[in-house]
Amino acid sequence: MTPQPLPPGERAAAHAWRPARFLVIAAHPDDAEFGPAATAAAWIDAGSTGRLVCCTSGDQGGEDPHADPLVLAATREEEQRRAASIVGYDEVVFLHQPDGALANELPLRELLVREIRRFRPDAVLTHDPEVLFYAGAGVNHTDHRAAGIAAVDAVFPAARNPMAFPSLARAGLVAHVVRRLYLFWPNVPTAWVDVTETLDRKIAALRCHASQVADPDGLEARIRAWTAEEGEPIGVAAAEAFRVIVIDDDPNEGPHGAGAG
Ligand SMILES: [Zn+2]
């Protein structure tokens, strides 16, 4: 069953289901670290296999209008690879889409379906595409929204539809059912993963993005405060919050999912 929002003042249990295989789909290098990195590290430590797809290489992520976007993209890919190795992903895939111009169109959907069918994850973690304005303050970047909705549309129905993108099936990438979506940075979270044990890895991975982080110590303090706040609903020192969409429930499955012992 899809988890529901928590009524005000109530506490939830820490989210216990764990996918055996999960794919993180992010718009930019560093999104996956600000997003679900500590959850990914915790799941990988517990035996899951995780992979990261970056739709863009962040070639507009700077303050200098004279900077060479290709040089910046190469720097950011290297930073992302280092961060990913700290988290423990088995692979990082860059789709090399244009930063600032990501669009939920068929070519991007096909690229994402290709990666889903290649890796065959139980769960996909991506940006909550319904967040236009953050509840706290601020506008959600257009690339985050586009990556999120493209990932949702790739998961359902395209990746599982044998007749969608027939050239992929002809290349051996047959239809695959992703059973759950974990949407990060939600305005209305429904699940909280205890990341007390892996918060330091999230922070170490964030520090790899040196081109984006002017004040690493200040960032660390903000991340610790943020994850502490997200830990409050489940009474732990640190958590990451998600809006979880269960597309296919397995009635034979225990509370800990495919990875349960
Ligand atoms: Zn971003």
Short mmCIF file of all heavy atoms in Angstrom, two decimals, residues 41-90:
data_model
loop_
_atom_site.label_atom_id
_atom_site.label_comp_id
_atom_site.label_asym_id
_atom_site.label_seq_id
_atom_site.Cartn_x
_atom_site.Cartn_y
_atom_site.Cartn_z
N ALA A 41 23.20 4.96 0.39
CA ALA A 41 24.34 4.33 1.08
C ALA A 41 23.86 3.28 2.09
O ALA A 41 24.45 2.20 2.20
CB ALA A 41 25.18 5.40 1.78
N ALA A 42 22.77 3.60 2.80
CA ALA A 42 22.25 2.64 3.80
C ALA A 42 21.74 1.38 3.11
O ALA A 42 21.99 0.26 3.58
CB ALA A 42 21.12 3.30 4.61
N TRP A 43 21.03 1.55 2.01
CA TRP A 43 20.51 0.38 1.29
C TRP A 43 21.65 -0.46 0.71
O TRP A 43 21.61 -1.68 0.75
CB TRP A 43 19.55 0.82 0.19
CG TRP A 43 18.20 1.28 0.69
CD1 TRP A 43 17.70 1.13 1.97
CD2 TRP A 43 17.17 1.94 -0.06
NE1 TRP A 43 16.43 1.67 2.04
CE2 TRP A 43 16.08 2.16 0.82
CE3 TRP A 43 17.07 2.36 -1.38
CZ2 TRP A 43 14.90 2.79 0.40
CZ3 TRP A 43 15.90 2.98 -1.80
CH2 TRP A 43 14.83 3.19 -0.92
N ILE A 44 22.65 0.22 0.15
CA ILE A 44 23.79 -0.51 -0.42
C ILE A 44 24.53 -1.26 0.69
O ILE A 44 24.89 -2.43 0.53
CB ILE A 44 24.72 0.47 -1.19
CG1 ILE A 44 24.02 0.94 -2.48
CG2 ILE A 44 26.06 -0.19 -1.50
CD1 ILE A 44 24.65 2.14 -3.15
N ASP A 45 24.70 -0.62 1.84
CA ASP A 45 25.35 -1.31 2.97
C ASP A 45 24.58 -2.56 3.38
O ASP A 45 25.16 -3.54 3.84
CB ASP A 45 25.44 -0.37 4.19
CG ASP A 45 26.52 0.68 4.03
OD1 ASP A 45 27.24 0.64 3.01
OD2 ASP A 45 26.65 1.54 4.93
N ALA A 46 23.24 -2.49 3.23
CA ALA A 46 22.39 -3.62 3.64
C ALA A 46 22.29 -4.69 2.55
O ALA A 46 21.61 -5.70 2.74
CB ALA A 46 21.00 -3.12 4.02
N GLY A 47 22.93 -4.47 1.40
CA GLY A 47 22.96 -5.51 0.38
C GLY A 47 22.31 -5.16 -0.94
O GLY A 47 22.32 -5.97 -1.87
N SER A 48 21.71 -3.97 -1.05
CA SER A 48 21.08 -3.57 -2.32
C SER A 48 22.16 -3.16 -3.33
O SER A 48 23.29 -2.83 -2.96
CB SER A 48 20.15 -2.37 -2.10
OG SER A 48 19.15 -2.67 -1.15
N THR A 49 21.77 -3.16 -4.60
CA THR A 49 22.62 -2.62 -5.67
C THR A 49 21.95 -1.35 -6.18
O THR A 49 20.76 -1.36 -6.51
CB THR A 49 22.77 -3.64 -6.82
OG1 THR A 49 23.28 -4.85 -6.28
CG2 THR A 49 23.73 -3.11 -7.87
N GLY A 50 22.73 -0.26 -6.22
CA GLY A 50 22.20 1.03 -6.66
C GLY A 50 22.99 1.56 -7.84
O GLY A 50 24.19 1.29 -7.98
N ARG A 51 22.30 2.30 -8.68
CA ARG A 51 22.95 2.93 -9.84
C ARG A 51 22.40 4.35 -9.96
O ARG A 51 21.27 4.62 -9.58
CB ARG A 51 22.65 2.13 -11.10
CG ARG A 51 23.34 2.65 -12.34
CD ARG A 51 23.19 1.70 -13.51
NE ARG A 51 23.92 0.45 -13.30
CZ ARG A 51 23.93 -0.57 -14.14
NH1 ARG A 51 23.26 -0.49 -15.28
NH2 ARG A 51 24.62 -1.65 -13.89
N LEU A 52 23.22 5.25 -10.52
CA LEU A 52 22.85 6.66 -10.64
C LEU A 52 22.85 7.08 -12.11
O LEU A 52 23.82 6.81 -12.83
CB LEU A 52 23.85 7.52 -9.85
CG LEU A 52 23.76 9.03 -10.03
CD1 LEU A 52 22.39 9.57 -9.59
CD2 LEU A 52 24.86 9.73 -9.22
N VAL A 53 21.76 7.74 -12.52
CA VAL A 53 21.68 8.35 -13.84
C VAL A 53 21.59 9.86 -13.65
O VAL A 53 20.69 10.35 -12.97
CB VAL A 53 20.44 7.85 -14.61
CG1 VAL A 53 20.25 8.64 -15.90
CG2 VAL A 53 20.57 6.36 -14.92
N CYS A 54 22.52 10.60 -14.27
CA CYS A 54 22.47 12.07 -14.28
C CYS A 54 22.03 12.51 -15.67
O CYS A 54 22.71 12.24 -16.66
CB CYS A 54 23.86 12.66 -14.03
SG CYS A 54 24.28 12.75 -12.31
N CYS A 55 20.91 13.20 -15.74
CA CYS A 55 20.39 13.60 -17.05
C CYS A 55 21.28 14.63 -17.73
O CYS A 55 21.49 14.60 -18.93
CB CYS A 55 18.97 14.14 -16.90
SG CYS A 55 17.80 12.91 -16.32
N THR A 56 21.79 15.59 -16.94
CA THR A 56 22.70 16.61 -17.49
C THR A 56 24.05 16.47 -16.78
O THR A 56 24.16 15.77 -15.78
CB THR A 56 22.18 18.04 -17.26
OG1 THR A 56 22.48 18.43 -15.91
CG2 THR A 56 20.68 18.15 -17.50
N SER A 57 25.04 17.18 -17.29
CA SER A 57 26.33 17.20 -16.61
C SER A 57 26.56 18.55 -15.93
O SER A 57 27.68 18.90 -15.59
CB SER A 57 27.45 16.88 -17.60
OG SER A 57 27.28 15.56 -18.08
N GLY A 58 25.49 19.32 -15.75
CA GLY A 58 25.58 20.54 -14.96
C GLY A 58 26.41 21.63 -15.61
O GLY A 58 27.07 22.42 -14.91
N ASP A 59 26.36 21.74 -16.95
CA ASP A 59 27.26 22.67 -17.65
C ASP A 59 26.85 24.13 -17.51
O ASP A 59 27.54 25.01 -18.02
CB ASP A 59 27.37 22.27 -19.12
CG ASP A 59 26.02 22.02 -19.75
OD1 ASP A 59 25.50 20.89 -19.61
OD2 ASP A 59 25.47 22.93 -20.37
N GLN A 60 25.73 24.40 -16.83
CA GLN A 60 25.38 25.81 -16.54
C GLN A 60 25.50 26.11 -15.04
O GLN A 60 25.00 27.13 -14.58
CB GLN A 60 23.95 26.12 -17.01
CG GLN A 60 23.83 26.19 -18.53
CD GLN A 60 22.50 26.79 -18.98
OE1 GLN A 60 21.65 27.16 -18.17
NE2 GLN A 60 22.32 26.88 -20.29
N GLY A 61 26.14 25.21 -14.30
CA GLY A 61 26.19 25.36 -12.85
C GLY A 61 27.37 26.19 -12.38
O GLY A 61 28.23 25.70 -11.64
N GLY A 62 27.42 27.45 -12.77
CA GLY A 62 28.51 28.32 -12.33
C GLY A 62 28.10 29.78 -12.37
O GLY A 62 26.99 30.11 -12.80
N GLU A 63 29.01 30.62 -11.90
CA GLU A 63 28.72 32.06 -11.83
C GLU A 63 29.45 32.85 -12.92
O GLU A 63 29.22 34.04 -13.08
CB GLU A 63 29.16 32.62 -10.45
CG GLU A 63 28.57 31.89 -9.25
CD GLU A 63 27.08 32.14 -9.10
OE1 GLU A 63 26.62 33.21 -9.53
OE2 GLU A 63 26.39 31.24 -8.59
N ASP A 64 30.36 32.18 -13.66
CA ASP A 64 31.23 32.89 -14.59
C ASP A 64 30.69 32.74 -16.02
O ASP A 64 30.75 31.66 -16.60
CB ASP A 64 32.66 32.30 -14.50
CG ASP A 64 33.60 32.94 -15.50
OD1 ASP A 64 33.19 33.90 -16.20
OD2 ASP A 64 34.75 32.47 -15.59
N PRO A 65 30.18 33.84 -16.61
CA PRO A 65 29.62 33.72 -17.97
C PRO A 65 30.67 33.41 -19.03
O PRO A 65 30.31 33.02 -20.15
CB PRO A 65 28.98 35.11 -18.19
CG PRO A 65 29.67 36.03 -17.26
CD PRO A 65 30.08 35.20 -16.07
N HIS A 66 31.97 33.57 -18.68
CA HIS A 66 33.03 33.28 -19.65
C HIS A 66 33.56 31.85 -19.51
O HIS A 66 34.43 31.44 -20.27
CB HIS A 66 34.18 34.27 -19.48
CG HIS A 66 33.73 35.70 -19.58
ND1 HIS A 66 33.25 36.25 -20.75
CD2 HIS A 66 33.63 36.69 -18.64
CE1 HIS A 66 32.90 37.51 -20.54
NE2 HIS A 66 33.11 37.80 -19.27
N ALA A 67 33.06 31.10 -18.55
CA ALA A 67 33.55 29.74 -18.35
C ALA A 67 33.16 28.88 -19.54
O ALA A 67 32.13 29.09 -20.18
CB ALA A 67 32.95 29.16 -17.07
N ASP A 68 34.02 27.90 -19.84
CA ASP A 68 33.73 26.96 -20.92
C ASP A 68 32.80 25.88 -20.39
O ASP A 68 33.17 25.12 -19.49
CB ASP A 68 35.06 26.33 -21.40
CG ASP A 68 34.85 25.38 -22.57
OD1 ASP A 68 33.71 24.87 -22.75
OD2 ASP A 68 35.82 25.13 -23.30
N PRO A 69 31.57 25.79 -20.92
CA PRO A 69 30.61 24.81 -20.38
C PRO A 69 31.10 23.38 -20.49
O PRO A 69 30.76 22.55 -19.65
CB PRO A 69 29.34 25.03 -21.21
CG PRO A 69 29.61 26.14 -22.15
CD PRO A 69 31.01 26.62 -21.98
N LEU A 70 31.91 23.08 -21.52
CA LEU A 70 32.39 21.70 -21.66
C LEU A 70 33.41 21.36 -20.59
O LEU A 70 33.43 20.24 -20.07
CB LEU A 70 33.01 21.49 -23.05
CG LEU A 70 32.01 21.50 -24.21
CD1 LEU A 70 32.71 21.31 -25.54
CD2 LEU A 70 30.93 20.43 -24.02
N VAL A 71 34.24 22.35 -20.23
CA VAL A 71 35.21 22.13 -19.15
C VAL A 71 34.46 21.94 -17.83
O VAL A 71 34.78 21.04 -17.04
CB VAL A 71 36.20 23.31 -19.06
CG1 VAL A 71 37.07 23.21 -17.81
CG2 VAL A 71 37.07 23.37 -20.32
N LEU A 72 33.45 22.80 -17.60
CA LEU A 72 32.67 22.67 -16.37
C LEU A 72 31.97 21.31 -16.32
O LEU A 72 31.95 20.64 -15.27
CB LEU A 72 31.64 23.81 -16.29
CG LEU A 72 30.76 23.82 -15.05
CD1 LEU A 72 31.58 23.86 -13.76
CD2 LEU A 72 29.78 25.00 -15.09
N ALA A 73 31.41 20.87 -17.45
CA ALA A 73 30.73 19.57 -17.47
C ALA A 73 31.70 18.45 -17.11
O ALA A 73 31.35 17.55 -16.33
CB ALA A 73 30.11 19.32 -18.85
N ALA A 74 32.91 18.51 -17.66
CA ALA A 74 33.89 17.45 -17.36
C ALA A 74 34.26 17.47 -15.88
O ALA A 74 34.39 16.41 -15.24
CB ALA A 74 35.14 17.65 -18.23
N THR A 75 34.44 18.68 -15.32
CA THR A 75 34.75 18.80 -13.89
C THR A 75 33.63 18.20 -13.06
O THR A 75 33.86 17.43 -12.12
CB THR A 75 34.91 20.29 -13.51
OG1 THR A 75 35.98 20.83 -14.28
CG2 THR A 75 35.18 20.47 -12.03
N ARG A 76 32.41 18.53 -13.43
CA ARG A 76 31.27 18.08 -12.61
C ARG A 76 31.05 16.57 -12.75
O ARG A 76 30.62 15.92 -11.80
CB ARG A 76 30.01 18.88 -12.99
CG ARG A 76 30.21 20.36 -12.65
CD ARG A 76 28.92 21.10 -12.54
NE ARG A 76 28.12 20.60 -11.43
CZ ARG A 76 26.88 20.99 -11.19
NH1 ARG A 76 26.30 21.86 -11.97
NH2 ARG A 76 26.22 20.50 -10.16
N GLU A 77 31.33 16.01 -13.91
CA GLU A 77 31.21 14.55 -14.04
C GLU A 77 32.24 13.87 -13.14
O GLU A 77 31.95 12.86 -12.50
CB GLU A 77 31.39 14.13 -15.50
CG GLU A 77 30.20 14.50 -16.36
CD GLU A 77 30.25 13.92 -17.76
OE1 GLU A 77 31.14 13.07 -18.03
OE2 GLU A 77 29.41 14.32 -18.59
N GLU A 78 33.44 14.43 -13.10
CA GLU A 78 34.48 13.85 -12.25
C GLU A 78 34.08 13.96 -10.77
O GLU A 78 34.24 13.01 -9.99
CB GLU A 78 35.82 14.55 -12.52
CG GLU A 78 37.01 13.96 -11.78
CD GLU A 78 37.13 12.45 -11.94
OE1 GLU A 78 36.86 11.93 -13.06
OE2 GLU A 78 37.44 11.78 -10.94
N GLU A 79 33.55 15.12 -10.38
CA GLU A 79 33.07 15.29 -9.00
C GLU A 79 31.97 14.27 -8.69
O GLU A 79 31.94 13.67 -7.61
CB GLU A 79 32.54 16.71 -8.80
CG GLU A 79 33.63 17.78 -8.84
CD GLU A 79 33.07 19.21 -8.85
OE1 GLU A 79 31.84 19.39 -9.08
OE2 GLU A 79 33.87 20.15 -8.67
N GLN A 80 31.06 14.08 -9.66
CA GLN A 80 29.95 13.16 -9.43
C GLN A 80 30.43 11.72 -9.31
O GLN A 80 29.91 10.96 -8.49
CB GLN A 80 28.92 13.29 -10.56
CG GLN A 80 27.71 12.39 -10.40
CD GLN A 80 26.90 12.72 -9.15
OE1 GLN A 80 26.03 13.56 -9.16
NE2 GLN A 80 27.18 12.02 -8.05
N ARG A 81 31.43 11.36 -10.11
CA ARG A 81 31.97 9.99 -10.03
C ARG A 81 32.60 9.74 -8.66
O ARG A 81 32.43 8.67 -8.08
CB ARG A 81 33.00 9.74 -11.14
CG ARG A 81 32.36 9.53 -12.48
CD ARG A 81 33.31 8.85 -13.48
NE ARG A 81 32.66 8.81 -14.78
CZ ARG A 81 32.72 9.79 -15.68
NH1 ARG A 81 33.43 10.87 -15.42
NH2 ARG A 81 32.08 9.69 -16.82
N ARG A 82 33.32 10.74 -8.15
CA ARG A 82 33.94 10.57 -6.83
C ARG A 82 32.87 10.45 -5.75
O ARG A 82 32.95 9.59 -4.87
CB ARG A 82 34.87 11.75 -6.52
CG ARG A 82 36.21 11.68 -7.26
CD ARG A 82 37.32 12.42 -6.49
NE ARG A 82 36.98 13.81 -6.22
CZ ARG A 82 37.15 14.81 -7.07
NH1 ARG A 82 37.67 14.57 -8.27
NH2 ARG A 82 36.82 16.03 -6.75
N ALA A 83 31.86 11.30 -5.84
CA ALA A 83 30.76 11.24 -4.85
C ALA A 83 30.06 9.89 -4.92
O ALA A 83 29.75 9.28 -3.89
CB ALA A 83 29.77 12.38 -5.11
N ALA A 84 29.82 9.41 -6.14
CA ALA A 84 29.10 8.14 -6.32
C ALA A 84 29.88 6.97 -5.74
O ALA A 84 29.31 6.02 -5.22
CB ALA A 84 28.82 7.92 -7.80
N SER A 85 31.21 7.06 -5.83
CA SER A 85 32.01 5.95 -5.29
C SER A 85 31.94 5.94 -3.76
O SER A 85 32.01 4.88 -3.14
CB SER A 85 33.45 6.01 -5.79
OG SER A 85 34.13 7.07 -5.16
N ILE A 86 31.78 7.11 -3.15
CA ILE A 86 31.61 7.16 -1.68
C ILE A 86 30.27 6.55 -1.29
O ILE A 86 30.17 5.80 -0.31
CB ILE A 86 31.74 8.61 -1.19
CG1 ILE A 86 33.19 9.07 -1.31
CG2 ILE A 86 31.23 8.76 0.26
CD1 ILE A 86 33.42 10.55 -1.00
N VAL A 87 29.23 6.85 -2.06
CA VAL A 87 27.91 6.29 -1.76
C VAL A 87 27.90 4.79 -2.03
O VAL A 87 27.29 4.02 -1.27
CB VAL A 87 26.82 7.01 -2.60
CG1 VAL A 87 25.46 6.34 -2.41
CG2 VAL A 87 26.76 8.48 -2.21
N GLY A 88 28.58 4.36 -3.10
CA GLY A 88 28.68 2.92 -3.39
C GLY A 88 27.88 2.43 -4.58
O GLY A 88 27.65 1.23 -4.74
N TYR A 89 27.46 3.37 -5.45
CA TYR A 89 26.73 2.96 -6.67
C TYR A 89 27.61 2.06 -7.53
O TYR A 89 28.84 2.22 -7.57
CB TYR A 89 26.34 4.19 -7.50
CG TYR A 89 25.35 5.11 -6.84
CD1 TYR A 89 25.73 6.37 -6.37
CD2 TYR A 89 24.02 4.73 -6.69
CE1 TYR A 89 24.82 7.22 -5.78
CE2 TYR A 89 23.10 5.58 -6.09
CZ TYR A 89 23.50 6.82 -5.64
OH TYR A 89 22.60 7.66 -5.04
N ASP A 90 26.97 1.16 -8.29
CA ASP A 90 27.76 0.27 -9.15
C ASP A 90 28.17 0.96 -10.44
O ASP A 90 29.11 0.54 -11.11
CB ASP A 90 27.00 -1.04 -9.43
CG ASP A 90 25.97 -0.93 -10.54
OD1 ASP A 90 25.40 0.16 -10.73
OD2 ASP A 90 25.73 -1.95 -11.22
#
